[in-house]
Amino acid sequence: MSHSMLSLSFAVVAFMAQESSAADLAKGKESFLSAGCHHCHGQAAQGARGPTMAAMKYPYEAFEIFVRRPVGGGMPPYSATTLTDAELRDIYAYLTSLPGPAKELPELLR
């Protein structure tokens, strides 16, 4: 790996660390609950009427687009005046920090 590629790699890692430290998990949980997300996605984002959001694998940009301009009519849009960019980043950090949903029941127990 060249010196410039190595420097770029370190810069990306440093930026990602800064991004995750800038987001606050406790504030994310608080915003998730106060914005009413739990009504459809469950108290721990494990899913309810809406899909599971815990352990989300989508990049932040995709999450932001969906929250701001959801498709399909199942979820209301959350504008930056309703949910600030900082709150949205905190919610994303909170959701990605949660464990994934419980495994499905074996066929025998359904």
Side-chain angles (χ1 to χ4, degrees):
M1 183 181 290
S2 73
H3 179 53
S4 61
M5 288 296 291
L6 189 57
S7 295
L8 178 60
S9 296
F10 284 127
V12 169
V13 169
F15 175 75
M16 290 173 70
Q18 182 181 22
E19 282 288 305
S20 64
S21 66
D24 184 311
L25 300 181
K27 286 182 183 176
K29 181 178 182 179
E30 182 181 310
S31 293
F32 179 82
L33 296 172
S34 67
C37 306
H38 65 288
H39 292 297
C40 294
H41 299 288
Q43 284 295 116
Q46 297 290 323
R49 285 185 307 183
T52 297
M53 300 301 289
M56 184 181 348
K57 302 293 184 215
Y58 297 111
Y60 174 77
E61 294 77 15
F63 173 71
E64 179 183 30
I65 288 168
F66 185 76
V67 171
R68 300 288 189 218
R69 296 182 302 279
V71 294
M75 183 174 134
Y78 286 84
S79 70
T81 55
T82 304
L83 200 58
T84 68
D85 290 339
E87 289 169 326
L88 193 59
R89 279 209 176 276
D90 291 341
I91 290 172
Y92 179 79
Y94 168 65
L95 294 175
T96 57
S97 76
L98 294 172
K103 302 236 185 293
E104 285 192 37
L105 293 174
E107 190 68 35
L108 182 63
L109 299 177
R110 288 188 199 175

